[in-house]
Amino acid sequence: MNEGAPIRTQGPPASSGTIMERSSPGRRASAFAPLDVPAVTVPAGHERALAPELPQVAEIDLVRHYTMLSQQNYGVDTGPYPLGSCTMKYNPKVAETVAAFPGFQRAHPLQPDTTVQGTLEMLWRLERALCEITGMARATMQPPAGACGEMAGLLMMRAFHSDHDASRARGGHARRKVLIPDAAHGTNPASVRLAGFEVVSVPSDDRGLVDVEALGELVDDQVAGLMLTNPNTLGLFEERIEEITGLLHSVGGLVYYDGANLNAIMGKARPGDMGFDIVHINTHKTFATPHGGGGPGAGPVGVTERLVDYLPAPILARDDDGTLRWDRDREKSIGRLHGFHGNVGVLVRAYAYVFGHGADGLTEVSELAVLNANYLAARLAPAFPLAYPDAPPMHEFVSSVESLKRQTGVRAMDVAKRLIDLGYHPSTVYFPLVVDEAMMIEPTETESKQTLDAMAEAFLRAADEAHTSPELLHDAPVTTPVRRLDEARAARRLKLRWGAMHPPD
Amino acid sequence: MNEGAPIRTQGPPASSGTIMERSSPGRRASAFAPLDVPAVTVPAGHERALAPELPQVAEIDLVRHYTMLSQQNYGVDTGPYPLGSCTMKYNPKVAETVAAFPGFQRAHPLQPDTTVQGTLEMLWRLERALCEITGMARATMQPPAGACGEMAGLLMMRAFHSDHDASRARGGHARRKVLIPDAAHGTNPASVRLAGFEVVSVPSDDRGLVDVEALGELVDDQVAGLMLTNPNTLGLFEERIEEITGLLHSVGGLVYYDGANLNAIMGKARPGDMGFDIVHINTHKTFATPHGGGGPGAGPVGVTERLVDYLPAPILARDDDGTLRWDRDREKSIGRLHGFHGNVGVLVRAYAYVFGHGADGLTEVSELAVLNANYLAARLAPAFPLAYPDAPPMHEFVSSVESLKRQTGVRAMDVAKRLIDLGYHPSTVYFPLVVDEAMMIEPTETESKQTLDAMAEAFLRAADEAHTSPELLHDAPVTTPVRRLDEARAARRLKLRWGAMHPPD
Amino acid sequence: MLAAAGRSSIDDLFAQIPGSVRLARPLAMPDGVSEMELAADLRDLARRNRSADDLVCFAGGGAYDHYVPSVVWALAGRSELYTSYTPYQPELSQGVLQILFEYQSMVCELTGLEVSNASLYDGATALVEAVHMTIGRGRSRVLVSRGVDPRAVQALRTAGRGTGYEPESFEGEPQVSDDVAAVVVQHPNVYGVLEPVRERFDAAHAGGATAIQIFDPLSLGVLASPGELGADIAVGEGQGLGNHLSYGGPYLGIIAGRMADVRKLPGRIVGETVDVDGRTGYVLTLQAREQHIRRDKANSNICTNQTLMAIAAAVYLAWLGPEGLAELGGQCLSKAAYAAQALTKIPGVSLLSGEPFFKEFTLRLPRSAVEVIDAMVERGFLAGVAMPQAGDDVLVVALTERRSRDEIDGYVVAMEEVLAS
Amino acid sequence: MLAAAGRSSIDDLFAQIPGSVRLARPLAMPDGVSEMELAADLRDLARRNRSADDLVCFAGGGAYDHYVPSVVWALAGRSELYTSYTPYQPELSQGVLQILFEYQSMVCELTGLEVSNASLYDGATALVEAVHMTIGRGRSRVLVSRGVDPRAVQALRTAGRGTGYEPESFEGEPQVSDDVAAVVVQHPNVYGVLEPVRERFDAAHAGGATAIQIFDPLSLGVLASPGELGADIAVGEGQGLGNHLSYGGPYLGIIAGRMADVRKLPGRIVGETVDVDGRTGYVLTLQAREQHIRRDKANSNICTNQTLMAIAAAVYLAWLGPEGLAELGGQCLSKAAYAAQALTKIPGVSLLSGEPFFKEFTLRLPRSAVEVIDAMVERGFLAGVAMPQAGDDVLVVALTERRSRDEIDGYVVAMEEVLAS
Ligand SMILES: Cc1ncc(COP(=O)(O)O)c(C=O)c1O
Ligand SMILES: Cc1ncc(COP(=O)(O)O)c(C=O)c1O
C-alpha cells in the first residue's frame, strides 16, 4: 500500500497566480440586504481616500481558486505527517461537528454568564480532566497556544517569587535566571526572555538526558525555575526527574512542564507527581485539535495548589446552586493574556477528544504512541541510527543522518525531500539543534503498522538511494507543484504581498 | 489564467488499491454505546451464516482513502464542466448550509404533518414558484429525477386519456403512440416505452428544428402526446412551438415539456404559454442542486389545470387556518412514484436557489446562459462549426468535429481527451446521436468571460494541434491518474466487485 | 461579448422566441435576496419543524434514526465528488468510479449476491425496477406478500399501469403458476417481523418465478443474507447507511442480483479495467443496457441516480466494518425486545405482530394511533408510525442502536401517561 | 511490533519511568465513549447556551455578529488545509503559503501599510506584540489612549510585567517625551467613537514615538486607513472577517507595519520566490527573526498562530471585494445612527459617547446595564456590552450589517419595556 503524497502535482501548470489574477472590475461575490434605514455617510475628515484593492471575483472564482490551493497542500488527512515535537495525529471528524453546534459557535464572548452555562460547563469539565491528567490543581484556558502558556507560567513564577521570596526586599527580581536544557524548543528561551528572565542553558549528558550533576552546579537562589519537557526534546524520559525537580525546589525554584510531549505519558505518569509546579498542554498536539495550517491551537496551563492565586484572571467558579461564573476578582492574578477566554472553539474539540477517549482511551493513546515510535525507530535503525541510543525512546526519536552524510554527501534535508517524492511528509529536520543532521520522528499512535511499514520502507529506500543514486535525493522533490524553493532569494528580495517588490536593503 | 484540470495526477502511483487493501483484521472505526439492555440474539434459523467481508479499517484509513479518491475527481468546483444538456453550473455553497439545518435534515418522513410545517411551507412555496416559472397550475415534488418525472407525466397522459377519450370504450389504450424528436435524450423513449406507449420518431428539418410538416403527418387520434425540450436538444428554440402544440391539441393529444433546457428561457417564455400541458424540471440542472457525482437530483412535474387531478398522490393542501397537510385522498391520481415525498433534501437546495435568485435573478440567469453560449459558439466557430448554423443557439450549442476529422483523422473523443490535458472537462460528445462527431457544449451562466476565453483557447489549440501534432490528441490524456481506459475489456471481462472476476460469457 | 457573438443586445439573443409566447411581465415572485436573508428565511422554516433533533425518534417504516458518524459527510461532502456528474469521462472521475466500485462490492458482501448496480432512487423504486427485470417470457404476474410496505406496493401499482401488471398480494404460501414473474417478500416485514423467507422463495422457484427480497441493510450483520435465503434479487432502502432522514429523501435504492441477470440490471454499473499503460482503473460498463444507448429498448429509464448516497453508504459501511455491523444488529434486536416487553406491560397494549422481530414491532393500542402519536409529540417523542391499513389502533415502533435504555424507559412512561389520560 | 522493537510488553516500553512517579491507578475520569454518546453530550451542553443563534445580537466590544458567508468555511474547512501545520516543507504546503501571501496582501491593502505578518493570536495580543516592537533604544514608556479596550490594556499590563513597562493612559493630547516608545490609539474607540487620530499620531511622531492604531478591519471600506492616518503599526481583531463568534476564540490578530520595521515584526511571514526551475512559489521567510532560530533573542515567542483564521479572512475579504467592504461599512454606519437615534428618544437614555461613531455607540441608561442586559435576554436580545469602568449604567451597543430595521425596532421597543418596568 502506498500512502501517496497526495497533492496536485502535474498536468497544466498548477499555479494560476493569485486570486488577484482572477479579479475583474465590477465582479463581486458579496451581497447584503438592501439598506432599510436612512443612509448615513462618513463624517468629513474620516473618509478613506484610496479604496483598498481587494480582488473582485464571483463566488465560483473563490471556490475554484481556494479549492485548487487546498489540493496543493498536504495535511494529516492526506498522509502520515511524522513531524517530531508536533504530534500530528489524526483529528477525529466528530470534533468538527460538535464545534459547529450553533450554541457553541454563535456564543458572544461577553454574554452574561447565565446564558452560556453550556460552554462554561464544558470548560469546567475540561479543566478538571486536564488537571487530573497532569496532576495539577487548577488550570487556565486562556492561552491560545503553548508559547502563550509558557509566558503565563513564567509570569506566574515571577509573581510567586516576588510574593514569597525571602529576598523580596530586593524587589522580587533576585531570581533572574531560568534554566533550560540546551536542546529545548525555541519558544522556551524566547518566553523566558520576554518574561524578563535570563536564560541559563543546562547541558545534556551523553545519554541525551539532563546532566543532573551539571544542573546541581547551576542551581542557586537566583534561579526562578526550570523549564523541561519530559520525555525531553530527544524523546527520552528523564529518569532522574524527581532529583531534578527536588534540586529546584531545594533552592525555592519552580519547575515548568512544557507539555509538548505529554502524548507519551498519559495515564502512565503525571507531571504533578514528578514534582512539576506548572504545566502547559498543547491541545493541538496531545488532544488532536486540528493544526489549521499553523494554528489555531490552545495552551491551557495547570498549576499546583500554591500557584492557583496567580493564574490569569478570570477563572471559573461554581456557585452553590451549581451555576458557573467567571471569577474576575483575583487580586494576585497575573492578569489577562488574551482578549477574551482563549480559543474556546478549539477547546470544544479538545473536550471531544479527551472525553471521547476517556481514562482508558488516553492511556492507550500513550501506549500506542510509544509503541509506534519504538517500532519505527527499530525499523529505521539500520540506516538511520538513533542519535542517543543509550536511552530507550518514548513517543518520538531523533535519528542522525550524519553517518549517511559522511558516506554519501546526502544531508537530512535531501532525505526529507526525497521522502516527499516517495509519498510522505518528512519528519522534523535540523531540530533539536544539538544533534547534527537531526531527523526527529514522531509517528503518533494513529498510524497503523501498515502505514509505519510503508513509511519505513520509504525511509530505507531513500537511504539506499543515497548510495546508489544520490541525485534522486539532491534533485528531490520532483513530484510537487514547485520544486526546491530559493529561500535566500525570498529573504533578500522581499516580496511579501502582491503588487509590491521591495529591493534588497 | 489557466483553470487547470485539478485532479491529482503524478508523483507516487495515485492508485493504492481499494479500501479493502487498507483493511486489517480487528481494526474498526465504529463504536457504539455499550448495550444497556439485556442482550438478545437472533432467533434460530434466521442467523447469518457467512459474515460479510467488509473492510476493517480505522477512521484515519477511511479519511485518507476517500480524501485521496476525491482528489482524483473533477467537479464544477475544480473547473468548467461544459457538458451539454447537463447544465453544470456553479452550486452556491449556501445551499449546503441550509440543507444541513437540523430541522430539515433530521425530519422523519412519516412525522405528523403538524410537526413539519416548516418543510411543508418550503415545499409549498417552491411549488408555487416552479408553477410560475413554467406556467403550470400545480406540481408534484415526488420524482427524484427528470426520468422519473417523465414517467409521472406519461402516466398522467395515460390516465387523462383513459378518462377523457371518446374512445374510452377501447379501454383507453387507443392512444398508443407518443411522438419524440429523433434527437431526443434517451430517457424520453425509455420512459415512453415503460409507460406502455410506443415511440414514434419525429424528424428534424435542416435547420435542426422539428419538421412541423412531417409532424402534421404523424399526428392522429392514436397519439397520446408529444415530448419536447425547448430549446430543443440541439440548443435551438422551436420557433413554431405554438403550431406544434396546437397540432397535438387538435387531435386531443397532450404535450410534455422536458425541462432539461429550462435554463435558457426563465423569465423570457414559459412552457405553459407555449401550449405545453406537463413540464418536468431538473433541479440539478436549472436550480443548481449539486449533481452528486451522478445524483441525487429532483424532477418536480407541473401540470395545467386539467391535469391536476392526475398528479401523483399525495399533494399539498392548505387548510383554512393556514396549516399545510398532505392530501392523500386523490381518487384520480396516478399514485405514488417514490417511497416518501421525493428528494426533499435536494428541494431545500432548489428553494435556496430559486428564492435566492428571485424573479430578476432567474431572468438574468437565462440571459447570461444564452449570452455565454453564443459567445463561446462564435469563438469556436472557426474550428468547430455549428452543426446547425441556420438557427441561432440558445444556452448550448452543438458543434461538429466532422470536418476536422476528415482533414486530420482526429475524432471528437480525441479533442475531448486533449481538453483534459489542457485543463478542462470536455463537453458532451457523440450526443445528440443525430449529429456526427457531435460536441454539445453548455457553458452555463456561471462561467465568466475570462473562463470562456481560456476555454475557447484550449478548444482552438486542440484544433490546431489536430493539424500539427495529432498524436497529442490521439494519446491524450496523459496528465490524469489513469489514461484512456479499455472499456471493451471492462464489458468483456466483467469485474464489478472486488475479489471476484467473472469470465466472459 | 454580445458583439463577438454577433448580437446587438440581450433581447436580440431571444429574438427567435415568437412574441406571442414571450413573457411580457416579470415573473410573479419576489426578486432575489442576499445569502444572509435567504439563510435567515430557511432557518426560520427549519425551526418550524420539530424533527428527530429534538424529538426522540421511534419512528421507522422504512426511514430510521441510525447514527450518522461525522466522518461520512466529511468525506461524501468533499466538493470534488458532489459537484461532479455521471462519470462520462473516466479519466477525470476515478474518484467517484472507484468509490462506486467499492460500494458495489460491499453491497454484494452484504446481500450475499453476485452483482450490484451503482444506486437507484430509493427502496420503493428499487422494488419497481426489480420487478421490471422479471416481467416477460409469458410471465407478468407479480405476487407481493402482505408484509410488504404499502408505500412500496403503491409505487409498484403506479409503475405496473405502464408496464402492464397489477401487483397481487398474498399471505402465507404464494400460489406460483407459470405466469408468475416474481414473488416479493419483505424481510423483516413492514410489521418488523421475520418472515419464513426460505419457504416462500422455494415456492417461487418451484413455480419458475423470480424471488425478490426487500431487505434492511442494517440487519445483515445478524440476519441471514438475501443470498443465503435464496433471493434472486434483493432490493432495499439504503437510507440507514449514513444518509440523513431529510424528510424522506434523498435516499438510496439498493439492488443486487445474480450475475446471470446482469444485463437486465437497471442503472449505472462500474467495472474495473486497465488503461493503455496497463494501470488499473474504473469505468461505467455494460452501458448498452441503458437508456442513452438502448433508448426505447432499455429496461429502465434511470439516468440521474443517487450516487452521492451510495458514496455515503460506502463510507458508512467501511466505518462499520463487519463487527460494527453485527454489533449494531445486536443492539437493534435487543433494544426492540426490551421496548416491546416494557410497552406490552401497559394495560391495553399488545403485540399485533408476532415474534420474532428485528428492530421494529407493531402494537395494538387501546386508542387511535394517530392521537397517541400527537400526544407523544407533546412529550418529546416521535412515537412511531401509524398503520391505518392494519387498523386505526396500530402503531409500528422502531428501535435503532441510537436509542438508550433511558430514552426507552422515558418513552414507556410517556406512553403510560398518554394512554391513561 | 513489540518484538520488532525489542520490547517484551507494553509495560516494558514505560520501564524507564521510575516507579515512584508511575501512576498506579487509572485516571480519575470516565472511560471513553462512542462518538454517538459524545455528540449527544456536547449537543446538550451547546443547548444550554443561548447564543446569537437565537438571541438577536447587539453585543460588540471587540467581537461582532457580522455575517459569515457559507463559502468561507466551505473553503477554509478543506481538510488538506486545516489538518496541516506550519509550512516547514514548502513544496507540500503551497496551498497554505499562497493563501497566507494573499492574506498579507489584502491586509496591506486594507490598512494602507506596507507589510503584514501571517497572523497573531487575537487583537489584544497583537497590541502586545506591536508595543513590544517599539520598546528599546531608551524608550520604554507606553501611552495608551483612554479609548482603548480595557481588555487589551489588561493584556498589555500583563505582558509589560515581563518586558518591563507599565501602560500609562492618556486622554486628549499625549505628552510624548523622549522616553516614550509608543502611543496607542483605538479608532473607532471602545465607545465606538471616531478619534482625532491624525493629531494624536502627529504628537507621537513629534516626540519620536511609534504610532500604533487599533483598527476595526470592517470599517476600512469607509474610514480612512491606518496608513492614511499616519499609523506606523496597525493592529486589529480579525474575528469579523469570516470567523465565528465562538465565545471569544479562535480569533485573528492582525498586525501590519512599515517595511523598515519588517525585521521586528513578530510571527510567520510568507514571501514569494522561485524554485530551481524558475517557477513562482511561496516560503516562510525572514525566519531569522523567530524563536526557533533566534531563541532568547527573538522579539516574540509565537509559534503556533491563527493561520486558519487568516485563511478564512482571506476568503472573506475576497468575497467582500472593495465594493462589498464599502457597502458593509455604510450599512454599519447607517444602522448604528438609526438605532442610536431611536434609543436616545427613550426617556432617561442618552448618548454617553459623543459622535461621530461607526458601528458602536455608548449609552447612559437610567438603570444598571447588567440588569438591563439580563432583562433583554428574556426578550430575545443580547442588548450590548456593559462597561463598568465607565459606570454601572453604561451600555455599549453594536450594529452590524446583519441587523435589520425590524430587529432594531424590536430592540427599541423591548428596551422601552425593560426601562419602564
Ligand atoms: C517542545 C515545544 N515546546 C513549545 C512549543 C510551542 O507551542 P505552541 O506552538 O503551541 O505555541 C512547541 C511547539 O511546537 C514545542 O514543540
Ligand atoms: C434532455 C434530457 N432529458 C431528460 C434527462 C433525464 O433527467 P434525469 O437525469 O434527471 O433523470 C436529461 C438528463 O441528462 C436530459 O438531458
Side-chain angles (χ1 to χ4, degrees), chain B residues 17-19 28-30 33 36 38 40 42-43 45-50 52-53 55 62 65-66 69-70 72-77 81 88 93-94 102-103 105-108 110-111 115-116 118-119 125 132 144 147 158 184 186-187 191 193-196 239 242 264 268-270 284 290-296 326 334-339 341 343-345 351-352 356-360 372 374-375 378 392 394 417 449 482-486 490-491 494-498 505, chain C residues 1 4 7 14 16 18 20-23 25 27-33 35 38 41-43 45-46 49-53 59-61 63 65 78-86 89 91-96 98 101-102 104-105 109-110 121-122 125 132 151 154-155 158 161-163 195 198 220 222-224 228 244-250 259 263 271-277 280 283 285 291 295-296 301 304-306 308 318-322 327 331 333-334 356 402 405:
Chain B
T18 68
I19 184 77
R28 174 174 167 183
S30 59
D36 55 358
V40 167
V42 183
H46 286 291
E47 312 92 330
R48 180 160 189 143
L50 199 67
E53 274 199 47
L62 281 177
H65 183 69
Y66 292 111
L69 287 177
S70 77
Q72 293 179 23
N73 220 64
Y74 184 112
V76 174
D77 276 13
Y81 211 127
M88 301 299 291
K93 294 297 171 197
V94 65
Q105 197 177 57
R106 306 258 302 119
H108 189 283
L110 303 175
Q111 292 191 208
T115 62
V116 284
T119 291
R125 291 188 201 161
E132 167 62 12
R158 192 181 174 94
T187 51
S191 301
R193 177 68 175 272
L194 290 166
E239 300 170 8
E242 286 167 300
K268 297 292 175 184
R270 309 192 307 166
H284 41 301
H291 276 84
W326 288 112
I334 58 162
R336 171 174 284 289
L337 281 158
H338 182 265
H341 315 287
N343 282 344
V344 180
Y351 177 106
H357 283 77
D360 54 346
N372 277 0
N374 276 272
Y375 177 75
M394 295 286 289
K417 299 301 183 194
K449 176 168 183 297
V482 291
R483 294 180 54 209
R484 282 196 215 189
L485 289 153
D486 189 340
L494 286 179
K495 184 159 166 55
L496 309 180
R497 52 159 302 184
W498 58 50
D505 50 355
Chain C
M1 284 177 72
R7 304 303 191 90
F14 294 88
Q16 62 270 44
S20 49
V21 302
R22 284 289 290 273
L23 187 65
R25 56 166 178 85
L27 289 168
M29 55 184 290
D31 278 346
V33 296
E35 172 176 334
L38 183 65
D41 171 34
L42 280 155
R43 188 177 143 289
L45 286 174
N49 287 351
R50 298 203 58 190
S51 72
D53 195 46
D65 188 23
R78 297 262 315 165
S79 67
E80 299 94 325
L81 300 175
Y82 82 71
T83 69
S84 70
Y85 193 34
T86 310
Q89 297 290 341
E91 301 90 343
L92 288 177
S93 314
Q94 286 299 299
V96 162
Q98 182 174 334
F101 179 82
E102 296 183 0
Q104 292 174 182
S105 304
E109 282 296 333
L110 268 189
Y121 299 138
D122 73 347
T125 61
H132 195 77
R151 270 176 297 274
Q154 287 164 25
T158 302
R161 295 221 183 85
T163 332
E195 297 250 354
R198 283 193 182 83
L220 294 180
V222 292
L223 296 186
E228 290 172 351
H244 292 288
L245 286 168
S246 295
Y247 199 58
M259 201 60 194
R263 286 187 169 73
E272 190 184 293
T273 185
V274 294
D275 76 357
V276 290
D277 297 331
T280 299
V283 292
T285 191
Q291 44 74 25
R295 302 180 67 82
D296 60 331
N301 65 343
T304 296
N305 58 16
Q306 305 280 124
L308 195 63
W319 176 80
L320 267 185
E327 183 180 348
Q331 289 232 0
L333 205 56
S334 307
R402 203 168 178 175
R405 182 184 198 135

Side-chain angles (χ1 to χ4, degrees), chain C residues 249-272:
Chain C
Y251 283 5
L252 169 62
I254 304 178
I255 190 166
R258 306 207 177 280
M259 201 60 194
D261 294 329
V262 67
R263 286 187 169 73
K264 290 193 207 148
L265 210 62
R268 314 288 182 195
I269 300 177
V270 173
E272 190 184 293

Side-chain angles (χ1 to χ4, degrees), chain A residues 332-350:
Chain A
K332 295 195 169 176
S333 164
I334 58 162
R336 171 174 285 287
L337 283 156
H338 183 264
F340 298 103
H341 316 286
N343 282 344
V344 180
V346 174
L347 296 166
V348 181
R349 292 171 169 89

